[in-house]
Each structure stands twice: as C-alpha cells, then as structure tokens.
RNA sequence: GCCCGGAUGGUGGAAUCGGUAGACACGAAGGACUUAAAAUCCUUUGGCCAUUGCGGCUGUGCGGGUUCAAGUCCCGCUCCGGGUACCA
C-alpha cells in the first residue's frame, strides 16, 4: 500500500468541507484563540510559493491551539479593492469587479489545495457592499467625532458645537457654511486643503507610506507635491496613544522601533522671535533650546505663511523667483538634488536673548509639514544649518567647549556650554532643561512635544474603492444618514478621469442624493477596507453592527497576527488608529487590535541563467555550461540569459524543454559540463547520459514573471503533495528570515513522509498492532511531543521537522507498529501534515477528525535518563567522557570524574586549584 | 548619515540558560539490490595531519577582552540585508 498523497489529500479536503470541520462559533465553555493572516490582495498573477509561508505557519499554530483545547478563530478573506484591477480596467475595459472575482476564485482554488483550516463561512471581501457598508459607517463616525486632547479620547462633535454655542459669541453669527468649515478643523475625518503627494501617472494622490524616495510604491511613478482639498484622517491626534500602546503588545522590537520612528516623538520647545520693524513674531520649534545664543539666522519653509508677511519690497522679486523654482521641482528631484539653495527675505528677526539682529531666509531644507515650518538656525551644532551658513557666508558661533567647527558642525548633545550667557559651564542636557525653564518663566515660549506622524490623506481619485457617504448641500459638507448605507459604488462605462479632470466617479449618472445634492466623487484608499477587517471576521453576517457585543467580548482581539514587515508604517498604524477610535466610542473592548505579531520573511526567487556564446563573432544559439564560462576559451564571451526555473532541475537544464520553451531556441546547441558538445560529430546528444549535463548559473532575485523564477504552489502540490509543501516551506529556515525558494531539499521532506507512512503500512495494508510499546519507543515519542510543543509555541517551526525525522527513524529501527505510539504520533504531526495525519489517525481506528483529538501530554517518566554521558575536562579541555547515574550527587560525579582521569594518568602530581562540577553537564578540574 | 537585523561546512540551516559546535536535510563520494534505470537501503563527508597506533591539531566574518569554559557575554572593526531620510 503506497503513500498516495493525491488521493488522500483530496479525500480529506472534501470530507472537511462536508463536515464543516473548521467552522467555529462563540463557545463560552472554551478559551478562545484568534489567529489571523494578513489577507491578500488578489492579484492577476495568482499565488506563488512565497504567499503561503506565513499562512502555513499560522495554520500550524491554529491547529496546534485547537488540539490544545482552544476554540480557534482562523478566518481568511480578500483585500479586494485596489489599483491593479483598476489599471487593468483602464487598459482593457474589463470591469474591476469581474477581474477581482476571477482572481479571488483562482486564489481560493490555490489555497484550498494546501489544506488550510480556515473557517470560510466567515470570509470577507472589502469590495462587497455588506462589508464596505461598515467602512463607510466608520467614516461617518469619524466625521461626527473630534479629538478631545484634554481627555485624550474621541468625543461627539455635538459636544463641541454645544461648547461653541455656550462660550463662543462669534459662533452664532456664522453662516452654516462657515460653521461647517470651522468644525472641519476638529473632526477626526475632515476635509482640508492639504499638501499632497500627487502622482500624475496614476492620476491620484497617495499617502506618505505609499510613496518611497519620491516614487509611488505601486508602479514606481514620479510623485509631486500639490495642494488639494482632500479628506484626511486625524491620525496625528492619536500619536501619543499609538506610541504608548506599543508597550502593551508582543511584537518584535525592530517592528516597534520602526513604528516609534515613524511616529517620531520629540520633546522640545516652541519659541517666538520678533521680526524687526514688523508686527510679526516667528514661531519656531527646537529640541536644542540650549543653543539660542548661537542662532545667527533663521529659515522659513517655502510654503510658510510667514514668507509673504515679512518679505521686503526689494527682495520680493528674488523670493518669488525662488518660490517658483521650488514649486517646479518634483519630490524626486528635491530628494536627489541636495545642493544648498535659498533666498534672503530682506527681513531681520531679533534673537530674544542676545537681542542681535539676524537675517531671515527661505529655503526648501525646512519642511512646511513639521513643527512650525520655521527654524532658528544654529550653524555650529546642526549640519544642515552649517552647510547653509557656509554657502551664504553667515557667522558660526561655537557653543560647546572644545568643539571644532572649522570643517563641520558638532551635532552631538554632549559637552560643556560656552558663549551662552547664564548657561555657561553647564552640561548640554542640563542647559536644555534650564533654558526651557527660562523661556517658560519669561514668556518667550513653552515646552512642546512634536510628532513626525502626519494625518492620513484619505481621498483617492479612483473608481475601484469605497465611495464616501458624503454629499454637498449648499456649501455645507454632510454625511449620509446611517440608514442609507451602504452607498453602492455606481456602475460607470469608463474608468479614466473625466475630460475636465474630475475623478472617474464623475462619469456616474445620477450621482446625487434623493434630494438631488451632489455626492463626493473621490473614493477611499486601500487601507480603508483593511483597517477593521479583523473585527468583521468575529461577526461577519451581522447586519446591525460592524461587530456584535457578544462576538466582540468573546473574541476580543487578534491573539496572533502573521504577516510581512512591509505594513509596519501603513496598515499596522492605520489599523491601530481605527481600533483606538472604535474603542473610544465604546464599540470594541480592546484598545490594541493585535496582541502578538509575527513577521514572516519574504521568499525570494532563485533565478537560473543559461550562457549564450557571443564572442569571436559567434552567431546563433550556442550555450556554454556555467562551470565553463570562466575558461580562457569562453571568458568574457558569454551573455547570461534568464531561463524559466520550471525547466531546470537542481541547476541542470532540461535540454529538450529548453528548445521547446521559446521558438527562438529551437535549434540551440550546447557545450556540456564535461566539455563535450552537441556540435561534436562523434558525440551527439542522446538525451540522457548523466555526464552530459548543462549546468545553469543562478542568482537570488525578487520573485517575478520577468525573471522567469516564479514557482507556483500548485505545481509543487501536484508533484509532491500539500503536506510535503507545508513541511518543506517550514523546513526552509526560520520563519522571520527572508530566503530564496529552492527545491533542492524538497526530496528529503517527501522521503520523510513516505517513511512515516511505512511505519503504519506495508504492501498488504495497515500494520498497526496493539503491542505494548517498549521504553525506547515511549522515549522516542515523548521526546518528540515535548519538542513539537515547545517549537510551535516559540514559532520555531523549522526545527520541528528534524525532530520528526529522528523520531520516525528511531521508531522504524525499533520496528514499532504499536497503536499506543502511532496514534499520538499522528496527532502531533497533524498541525504540519494534516492530510497524512488524518489518514493515519483513521488507520488507528478513530472515526472522528484528528482536529478534535487532544494534543498528548508529555510523560516525563520516559524522558528520565538512567545514565548520562558527561564530559570531563582539565583546564577546560575535554579529556574524557564518563557515564554517570541520573540524579547522582555532586560528590559522586566528582569521584567518578577523578577516577576516570586518574586511570588515564592525567591527574598524577597535579595540584587542583578549583573544581567546577555540574552534575549531568560538565566536570572541569583547574590544575596548575 | 541614522536606526534595526545578520555573518556557523560545498549548500539550507541546528546548537532553546555560557557547558562535547556542525543536529536534520540537500549535494557529493563509495557500496548493496537490478540486464539496466528509477526507487530503496548501507557507509563516508568542516579543514589539516595520522590512518597496522582506535588519535592529534585546528575551526563559528576580523582584532582584542571577561571566564575553568565563548558561536553564545563585553569592547573595537569589516562586510551583507532591511527600514528611514533634510523631522530642527
């Protein structure tokens, strides 16, 4: 009876569906555990072997927890709104809903083959009305709330209106439109003129985390800065709580650090610098209050409102010219060109401490979006100010004893302060504190905490996203009544922006409310739908609420979240923000959505190359084996060409498949690894001699179609089976580590599963008996139980597989066919290889599913060793190994060790200085 | 530049609390079975030396240090990967 994985896997997958094995319900009699994968965007390319890595890990964990008696919620769904489907629609006219549906079906088909324990009855799709209803609903709540900084939580905007009516005389005289505009400054979802990242190629704005180095993350198109009226979410209001919350979650230190940097809290002071002859005070932010005595000039961001206010008539022309130049530059140009530029405004500010008159400049090294958009420049102790001062020949005053500022600035916050009046002689840190006290007391400024974290731009000029439940009524921005949700995405014929430059929804007919008011044309960004999906899984069919009270109070939060690090500054910030907002409203009971987070590494592609001979005027397709390309005969005469990894096996090229792969290569000729060639008249390629191999080169690259290195999990499942794929992906290396996909070792894993099968079955059928197991067998089993449990709980899945291999080898050599060993063995391997485990579990005579078995407890009595081999060393050098009885006393161990060494004549005439005796581990005699 | 990781055989990687480095797997070499191949099984496999003396030396990127004992801890480098970037 052979291990027919195709038949077994299909059989059990069908059975699980039929029995609804993985469906879960709220069950207060059991402890809950919520395991979540970051749901995928269903792209047209389908899944490659990299995608399932995290899914397999979380599936192992889920299955393990279930065996341990937990009620495990393990759902899956699709982040199905997004750019690629829309770009595809623009090119082909194919409706994004159609492409998305097709891609989802393909994903599902691929996922099903791998044997995951998802509860598919809870599937969510962000593009479905009964899902995005709740995205729109949350938006309405954000619109209707403001952030109360004193109480540090979101409050209904009606409270603010009441307050204005009570306390603000002006309020009553405002028109409805003016009131609306004023409230926008407080709402958590608000409309404002914002400087945005505009991507002309995509025709939309992008959030900060969607832009990298001046290019869009999706597509890599240039991005420019533009002021537009856009919806934003006041994420920055939650900066402090987002930062503090990190202390309460079990994430990797590096990921928390990335978020801390992104939030970018810095403590400093805000100060005012009066402008000479003008009724203007420049407000600046600094973390180096101690350096005020060294301020020799000031700089404004080009977008700063101060620029207009203080520029003198003589300098007006030069300033306008500079502003025009800055405006023309794209974000990318600004980043790549770091030359010092700037212009004098003609105005002078007064240093509030030295009373010196200092010039005010405009330069784009000062950012409008951070602090106040204006800085006090301290060239001696800030490298950017230093470069500016050198360029414009401005004075540089050193403020720290011994700092040499003739060549570069001294940026470190240490040393003794000089040239600074009452601060002289203090250490920098003390001086900062002293100056903060001074400016507060003298009304020169105040202590202030600044954050780098920006509000999230929430509008996209796209079609394939959630429509805003927003309409415009005579200059007043309104949200729809909740009862009108969902606001369905209208059908349109063209997915491009309109001819007059409005977003695609401008094509929609009758895009107005019942009363005829126009509805918002923008749609929500990708992160809208993914921000609260984990809550919806808890209660996916609830029509009354995003998540019902009972479901929320039972499932609470995600206990284990598995996904890639690429979401560190996007999804994982937005999602935490969204959850905190809902928490403030009393709608969810946990403030942090993800308790533990594990990042799986990326699976990179391993590309293969063939080497075409191009030197010496060669024409046609002659390929040289990789091991020969550096031979003098071929050196520098070959050109590497990507070859499809699916026709290469262990770097050996399948010649015939290669000739068939691309018509261009149908007459390809080869020089083989041994130097023989298909061109040799007496040595024609016959198709199989093993020494006549063509060896390909390789490189580790991103897995992508254009590199021909994409490996599809379906092919692996077809060839080796789902259980082998699952085991092998784990065996590849530590979960968090990035590694290239390489099928070299997959045979070993596949062999192991066949060996395991043979423990239960031979040619005639099952060979399981009821014999009483020997202590050796029990030891092999319990050693493995202990190891498997430890490994899974510590996410060390890669080291479990060797433990299984050793166990099966031991049981094989012990000829163990006892049910009392094989049955628990099937259970402990079930998280890793569920199909095989299910088959073996039933072979042991069970009729229920292995998923409902109990994970066996370790019986330590089998693990106690009678004797322990223990090294004995002299001066740390191991000289001998002794057998000692388990639990032997320190004195006994010493005696045995000394006798053993004496017998070898090693202790003769030695003077023992010190003895280190650790029973069971090590004995060391230190001698002279 | 700054922040965070990492570096162990031909390869992927083990070593969980400072206690015999190289588990397990791949690859390679040799052998058994076979007309042959596949599959399967057995042996060897960090390096150097000795292999009729069963062992010796060396060894975890480099240089120091702590310790009876260091892949593991400390200090200083080199290289590689990731994040971030005029954040005042």
């Amino acid at each position: 009876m052979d291990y027919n994985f195709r038949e077994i896997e299909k059989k059990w997958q069908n059975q699980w569906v039929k029995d609804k094995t993985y469906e879960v319900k709220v069950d207060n009699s059991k402890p809950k555990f919520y395991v979540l994968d970051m749901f995928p965007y269903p792209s047209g390319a389908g899944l490659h072997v990299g995608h399932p890595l995290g899914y397999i890990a979380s599936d192992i964990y889920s299955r393990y927890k279930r065996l341990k008696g937990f009620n495990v919620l393990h759902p899956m769904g699709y982040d199905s709104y997004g750019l690629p489907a829309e770009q595809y629609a623009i090119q082909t006219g194919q409706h994004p809903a159609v492409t998305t549906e097709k891609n989802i079906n393909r994903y599902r088909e691929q996922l099903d083959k791998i044997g995951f324990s998802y509860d598919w009855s809870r599937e969510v799709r962000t593009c479905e009305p009964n899902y995005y209803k709740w995205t729109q609903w949350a938006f309405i709540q954000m619109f209707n709330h403001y952030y109360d900084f004193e109480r540090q939580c979101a409050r209904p905007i009606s409270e603010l209106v009441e307050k204005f009516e009570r306390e603000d005389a002006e309020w009553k005289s405002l028109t409805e439109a003016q009131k609306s505009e004023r409230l926008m400054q407080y709402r958590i979802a608000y409309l404002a003129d914002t400087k945005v990242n505009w991507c002309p190629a995509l025709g939309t704005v992008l959030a900060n985390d969607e832009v990298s180095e001046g290019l869009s993350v999706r597509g890599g198109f240039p991005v420019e800065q533009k002021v537009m009226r856009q919806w934003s979410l006041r994420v920055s209001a939650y900066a402090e709580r987002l930062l503090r919350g990190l202390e309460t979650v079990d994430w990797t230190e590096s990921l928390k650090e990335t978020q801390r940097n992104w939030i970018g809290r810095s403590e400093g002071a805000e100060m005012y610098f009066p402008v000479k002859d003008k009724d203007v005070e420049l407000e600046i932010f600094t973390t180096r209050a101690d350096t005020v005595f060294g301020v020799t000039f000031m700089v404004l961001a080009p977008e700063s409102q101060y620029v207009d206010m203080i520029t003198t008539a003589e300098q007006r022309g030069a300033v306008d010219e500079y502003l025009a130049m800055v405006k023309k530059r794209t974000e990318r140009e600004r980043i790549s060109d770091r030359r010092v530029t700037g212009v004098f405004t003609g105005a002078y500010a007064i240093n509030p401490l030295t009373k010196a008159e200092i010039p005010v400049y405009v330069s784009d090294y000062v950012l409008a979006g951070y602090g106040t958009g204006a800085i006090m420049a301290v060239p001696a102790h800030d490298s950017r100010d230093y470069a500016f001062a050198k360029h414009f020949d401005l004075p540089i005053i050193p403020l720290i004893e011994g700092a040499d500022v003739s060549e570069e600035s001294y940026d470190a916050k240490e040393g003794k302060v000089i040239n600074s009046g009452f601060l002289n002689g203090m250490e920098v840190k003390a001086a900062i504190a002293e100056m903060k006290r001074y400016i507060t007391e003298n009304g020169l400024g105040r202590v202030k905490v600044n954050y780098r974290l920006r509000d999230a731009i929430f509008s996209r000029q796209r079609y394939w996203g959630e429509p805003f439940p927003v309409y415009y009524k005579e200059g007043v921005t309104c949200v729809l009544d909740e009862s009108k949700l969902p606001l369905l995405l209208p059908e349109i014929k063209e997915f491009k922006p309109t001819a007059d430059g409005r977003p695609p929804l401008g094509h929609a007919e009758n895009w107005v409310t019942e009363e005829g008011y126009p509805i918002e044309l923008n749609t929500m960004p990708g992160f809208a739908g993914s921000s609260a999906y984990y809550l919806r899984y808890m209660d996916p069919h609830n029509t009354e609420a995003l998540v019902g009270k009972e479901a929320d109070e039972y499932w609470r939060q995600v206990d284990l979240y598995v996904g890639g690090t690429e979401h560190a500054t996007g999804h994982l910030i937005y999602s935490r923000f969204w959850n905190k907002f809902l928490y403030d409203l009393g709608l969810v009971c946990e403030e942090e959505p993800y308790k533990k987070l594990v990042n799986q590494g990326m699976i990179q592609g391993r590309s293969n190359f063939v080497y075409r001979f191009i030197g010496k005027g060669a024409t046609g397709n002659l390929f040289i084996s990789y091991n020969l390309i550096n031979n003098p005969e071929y050196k520098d005469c070959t050109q590497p060409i990507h070859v499809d990894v699916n026709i290469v096996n262990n770097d050996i090229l399948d010649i015939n498949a290669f000739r068939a792969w691309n018509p261009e290569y149908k007459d390809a000729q080869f020089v083989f690894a041994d130097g023989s060639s298909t061109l040799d008249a007496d040595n024609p390629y016959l198709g199989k001699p093993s020494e006549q191999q063509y060896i390909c080169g390789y490189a580790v690259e991103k897995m992508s179609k254009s590199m021909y290195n994409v490996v599809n999990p379906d092919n692996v499942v077809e060839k080796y089976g789902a259980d082998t794929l699952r085991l092998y992906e784990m065996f590849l290396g530590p979960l968090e580590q990035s590694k290239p996909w390489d099928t070299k070792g997959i045979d070993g894993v596949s062999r192991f599963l066949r060996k395991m099968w043979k423990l239960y079955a031979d040619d005639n059928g099952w060979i399981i008996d009821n014999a009483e197991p020997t202590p050796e067998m029990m030891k092999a089993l319990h050693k493995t139980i202990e190891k498997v449990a430890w490994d899974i709980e510590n996410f060390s899945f890669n080291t479990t597989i060797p433990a299984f291999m050793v166990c099966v080898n031991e049981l094989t050599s012990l000829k163990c066919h006892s049910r009392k060993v094989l049955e628990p063995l099937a259970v402990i391997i079930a998280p890793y290889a569920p199909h095989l485990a299910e088959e073996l579990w039933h072979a042991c005579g069970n009729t229920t599913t292995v998923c409902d078995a109990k994970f066996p407890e370790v019986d330590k009595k089998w693990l106690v060793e009678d004797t322990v081999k223990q090294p004995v060393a002299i001066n740390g050098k191991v000289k001998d190994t002794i057998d000692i009885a388990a639990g032997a006393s320190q004195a006994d161990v010493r005696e045995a060790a000394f006798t053993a060494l004496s017998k070898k004549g090693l202790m003769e005439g030695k003077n023992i200085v010190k003895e280190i005796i650790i029973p069971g581990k090590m004995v060391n005699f230190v001698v002279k």
Side-chain angles (χ1 to χ4, degrees), chain A residues 528-699:
Chain A
S530 59
S531 288
Y533 75 113
Y534 57 91
L535 291 172
R536 193 62 184 161
Y537 281 136
M538 295 176 182
D539 201 2
H541 308 296
N542 193 329
T543 52
E544 303 302 315
L546 166 63
V547 51
K549 263 248 141 357
E550 190 200 6
D552 179 60
E553 277 170 6
Y554 182 72
W555 298 112
R556 306 189 74 84
Q557 69 183 148
V558 176
D559 294 287
L560 172 67
Y561 197 24
V562 179
T565 3
E566 66 272 20
H567 298 107
T569 54
H571 164 63
L572 287 173
I573 291 268
Y574 299 129
S575 192
R576 292 180 60 219
F577 153 76
W578 203 285
N579 191 78
K580 281 175 193 296
F581 172 72
L582 296 175
Y583 175 81
D584 285 353
L585 270 57
L587 297 166
V588 299
C589 57
E590 292 282 350
E591 186 163 353
E592 285 292 337
Y594 313 114
K595 192 172 180 182
K596 183 177 176 68
L597 189 139
V598 172
N599 291 118
Q600 92 273 17
M602 278 221 292
I603 299 250
Q604 296 144 317
R606 188 177 186 282
S607 312
N608 276 115
F609 297 93
V610 291
Y611 297 86
R612 182 154 61 186
F613 189 63
I614 50 164
K616 299 170 188 160
T619 54
N621 287 307
L622 175 63
F623 295 91
I624 317 295
S625 183
Y626 175 60
N627 59 315
L628 301 175
I629 59 167
N630 284 322
N631 280 12
E633 203 182 333
Y634 305 118
K635 199 170 166 60
D636 303 325
C637 295
T638 57
Q639 164 199 22
I641 296 170
H642 276 100
V643 59
D644 189 342
V645 293
N646 295 299
I647 59 169
V648 177
N649 191 12
N650 289 339
D651 292 339
I652 309 295
L653 181 69
D654 180 335
I655 300 294
N656 293 327
F658 180 72
R659 284 173 170 161
W661 177 53
N662 186 330
E664 197 190 324
Y665 303 135
K666 71 180 197 306
D667 300 318
Q669 302 296 326
F670 301 89
V671 176
F672 294 116
D674 64 352
S676 66
S677 165
T678 47
L679 293 170
D680 298 345
D682 58 341
N683 189 14
Y685 176 67
L686 301 171
K688 57 180 179 180
S690 60
E691 65 280 9
Q692 290 186 334
Q693 291 176 330
Y694 184 93
I695 301 173
C696 296
Y698 66 90

Side-chain angles (χ1 to χ4, degrees), chain A residues 345-403:
Chain A
T345 60
Y348 288 85
I350 313 233
N351 185 324
L353 287 172
T354 63
K355 306 295 177 199
E357 290 182 13
I358 50 175
V360 183
Y361 283 78
V362 177
S363 175
D364 67 353
Y365 84 84
V366 174
L367 305 175
Y370 185 78
T372 61
I375 61 148
M376 61 175 214
V378 187
H381 303 292
D382 182 290
S383 51
R384 296 153 300 173
D385 297 345
Y386 187 88
F388 195 85
K390 281 279 176 188
H391 188 263
F392 287 95
D393 204 17
L394 295 158
I396 297 169
I397 307 171
L399 302 168
I400 292 169
E401 197 174 73

Side-chain angles (χ1 to χ4, degrees), chain A residues 425-443:
Chain A
M426 290 184 183
E427 280 294 315
V428 168
K429 283 184 182 125
I432 292 175
E434 175 59 18
M435 183 58 96
K436 279 183 182 169
R437 195 190 57 77
Y438 182 86
I439 59 175
T440 313
E441 276 180 13
N442 293 282

Side-chain angles (χ1 to χ4, degrees), chain A residues 761-823:
Chain A
D762 65 10
D763 293 344
N764 305 315
W766 301 118
I767 49 170
I768 302 158
D769 60 40
N770 286 313
E772 202 54 40
T774 65
E776 287 80 23
M777 294 172 187
M778 291 307 272
K779 188 184 162 191
L781 173 69
H782 283 268
K783 208 166 63 181
T784 312
I785 295 171
E786 190 178 41
K787 171 80 177 151
V788 171
W790 193 94
D791 278 352
I792 296 179
E793 281 176 17
N794 292 279
F795 300 92
S796 178
F797 305 109
N798 57 322
T799 56
T800 316
I801 289 131
F804 280 130
M805 290 175 175
V806 170
C807 178
V808 166
N809 282 342
E810 280 175 14
L811 293 178
T812 304
S813 62
L814 292 168
K815 297 193 172 41
C816 173
H817 303 294
S818 167
R819 190 184 317 272
K820 287 181 181 161
V821 173
L822 298 186
E823 199 175 84

Side-chain angles (χ1 to χ4, degrees), chain A residues 156-386:
Chain A
I157 196 88
S158 55
E159 287 185 5
L160 194 64
V161 173
E162 279 166 31
K163 193 179 161 214
F164 285 156
E165 278 174 355
R166 223 171 34 239
E167 297 169 9
D168 191 333
E170 205 190 348
W171 175 259
K172 289 203 179 81
S173 66
L174 298 178
T175 64
E176 284 305 306
Q178 285 169 324
K179 282 182 181 172
S180 162
E181 199 56 22
R182 171 112 187 249
L183 290 175
M184 280 297 180
Q185 294 167 26
Y186 296 90
R187 295 181 192 278
I188 287 178
Y190 65 97
L191 200 51
D193 288 320
T194 344
K195 199 171 136 190
V196 297
N197 306 301
W198 172 256
C199 180
L202 293 171
T204 187
V205 304
L206 297 169
N208 285 344
D209 70 282
E210 292 169 319
V211 180
S212 173
E213 311 220 344
L215 298 175
S216 66
V217 172
R218 286 241 182 227
F221 302 111
V223 169
E224 49 194 59
Q225 301 296 300
K226 195 171 163 181
V227 173
M228 285 176 78
R229 193 160 167 83
Q230 298 287 297
W231 284 102
S232 295
L233 301 185
R234 211 174 291 279
V235 179
S236 63
Y238 283 83
E240 188 61 36
R241 284 168 65 189
L242 288 168
L243 187 66
R244 278 206 318 253
L246 290 173
E247 289 159 24
T248 69
V249 292
D250 182 9
W251 296 10
T252 60
E253 210 37 55
S254 73
L255 189 70
K256 288 200 226 178
E257 194 61 21
T258 304
Q259 288 215 341
R260 281 189 204 112
N261 292 341
W262 189 259
I263 295 166
R265 183 182 202 272
S266 61
E267 285 182 18
E270 244 168 28
M271 288 184 67
Y272 305 97
F273 281 62
V275 179
K276 190 190 165 200
D277 302 331
K278 301 248 169 154
D279 190 19
V280 177
E281 283 197 325
L282 301 180
E283 191 186 31
I284 59 95
F285 174 76
T286 181
T287 53
R288 291 295 299 273
D290 60 310
T291 58
V292 180
F293 287 94
V295 176
T296 53
F297 59 101
M298 300 190 71
V299 189
L300 306 176
E303 299 84 357
S304 168
Q305 75 276 15
Y306 293 131
V307 176
D308 242 15
M309 292 155 72
I310 66 166
T311 301
T312 59
E314 308 86 73
Q315 287 299 101
R316 176 67 64 184
V319 168
D320 285 349
E321 198 181 310
Y322 181 74
L323 296 185
M325 190 279 283
V326 167
K327 211 172 171 186
K328 237 178 37 210
R329 295 215 292 182
T330 65
E331 186 68 2
R332 186 160 177 75
E333 282 166 348
R334 205 179 63 78
I335 289 167
S336 59
D337 180 12
R338 285 284 175 86
R339 274 178 307 176
V340 176
T341 63
V343 65
F344 179 43
T345 60
Y348 288 85
I350 313 233
N351 185 324
L353 287 172
T354 63
K355 306 295 177 199
E357 290 182 13
I358 50 175
V360 183
Y361 283 78
V362 177
S363 175
D364 67 353
Y365 84 84
V366 174
L367 305 175
Y370 185 78
T372 61
I375 61 148
M376 61 175 214
V378 187
H381 303 292
D382 182 290
S383 51
R384 296 153 300 173
D385 297 345
Y386 187 88

Side-chain angles (χ1 to χ4, degrees), chain A residues 434-498:
Chain A
E434 175 59 18
M435 183 58 96
K436 279 183 182 169
R437 195 190 57 77
Y438 182 86
I439 59 175
T440 313
E441 276 180 13
N442 293 282
L444 299 174
R446 61 204 167 93
V447 172
K448 174 89 201 279
V449 176
N450 244 325
Y451 300 91
R452 201 190 81 116
L453 186 69
R454 297 276 78 89
D455 286 347
I457 310 280
F458 203 60
S459 301
R460 295 294 181 275
Q461 291 67 43
R462 306 295 296 192
Y463 171 68
W464 193 231
E466 299 85 352
F468 280 88
V470 165
Y471 62 96
Y472 298 94
K473 178 182 170 184
E474 291 144 15
V476 179
T477 307
C478 306
V479 287
L480 289 178
D481 190 84
E482 283 174 26
S483 64
K484 297 275 195 304
L485 297 182
L487 171 64
L488 295 176
L489 182 66
E491 287 305 319
I492 57 172
K493 294 204 175 61
E494 251 202 291
F495 305 104
K496 283 198 278 261
T498 63

